[in-house]
Amino acid sequence: TIEATLQERLSQRREASMKELLQAQNQMRRLSSQQSSHPQAPTGEDLNHSPASHSSSTLRMTNNRRKCRRAEHNRAVIRDLCEIVVDLCIAESKLLLHSAQTTSLSAPSAGGIAGLLDGASPDRKAVLSAVAAHLNDLPVRYALGVDSPSEVLLHMRLMTSARADPTRAAVHIGNV
């Protein structure tokens, strides 16, 4: 099914990102071990600092590199998740449109994310910006912890309905 394919793509992209991150960490470890085993000749600036401050500045640089790599990885995962959710959303809209045409009913419009998908050809950029805005409004751990792209769509629909009428509860009942 479409969702299984998208879940597989998401897990493959996560694995590839994790491999890149591990390779970068191993490279940083090798560089730091090379720097500690082959001390460089002191420069004029290094003469004013003790060896302890030199190692702490190296550690600080390594920590900063690690933070940058982690942030890079997080952005890549979020970008990939956005693309996958957009693909799922467009595929769902085409299925809804096709089923509505075959049953001679109009496709339901719920506003929000569903409102972007009205018509024969959904605007990919608009859907992508809506998904990216949704993920950017939430903590990074939300995007990193998503198990299925359909969860993101469901959450977006729930948030849209909750924002549309604050006096009504937005509820989704799964398989009972």
Side-chain angles (χ1 to χ4, degrees):
T1 64
I2 293 173
E3 186 172 333
T5 304
L6 293 174
Q7 283 180 331
E8 183 178 324
R9 280 179 49 199
L10 180 62
S11 66
Q12 288 172 350
R13 287 184 179 179
R14 279 184 181 165
E15 287 176 18
S17 295
M18 287 303 294
K19 285 180 184 176
E20 289 174 11
L21 186 62
L22 288 173
Q23 287 173 349
Q25 285 177 343
N26 289 335
Q27 184 180 11
M28 282 192 293
R29 286 184 188 132
R30 281 194 302 270
L31 287 175
S32 67
S33 67
Q34 286 174 357
Q35 288 175 355
S36 64
S37 65
H38 300 294
Q40 298 176 349
T43 62
E45 187 177 307
D46 289 339
L47 292 175
N48 298 332
H49 301 294
S50 67
S53 67
H54 177 71
S55 65
S56 68
S57 67
T58 304
L59 181 62
R60 229 184 346 262
M61 282 185 6
T62 305
N63 286 340
N64 286 337
R65 280 191 212 139
R66 191 175 299 122
K67 287 178 186 175
C68 288
R69 296 275 186 186
R70 187 176 298 125
E72 217 173 89
H73 167 72
N74 291 346
R75 283 191 298 271
V77 168
I78 291 171
R79 191 173 40 251
D80 291 344
L81 179 62
C82 285
E83 291 290 332
I84 291 170
V85 170
V86 167
D87 290 343
L88 177 65
C89 192
I90 290 173
E92 277 186 10
S93 71
K94 288 179 181 177
L95 286 173
L96 287 173
L97 187 64
H98 177 69
S99 68
Q101 288 173 350
T102 58
T103 59
S104 301
L105 297 174
S106 61
S109 174
I113 190 72
L116 292 171
L117 300 175
D118 291 342
S121 163
D123 183 19
R124 183 175 180 79
K125 287 183 182 180
V127 176
L128 183 62
S129 66
V131 173
H134 171 73
L135 292 175
N136 289 333
D137 287 345
L138 298 168
V140 174
R141 68 180 177 270
Y142 170 79
L144 297 177
V146 169
D147 291 328
S148 166
S150 61
E151 287 179 9
V152 176
L153 278 179
L154 174 64
H155 192 222
M156 289 177 72
R157 288 183 182 119
L158 285 171
M159 293 200 42
T160 299
S161 71
R163 287 180 179 145
D165 187 4
T167 61
R168 298 181 71 190
V171 179
H172 171 75
I173 300 173
N175 296 338
V176 180

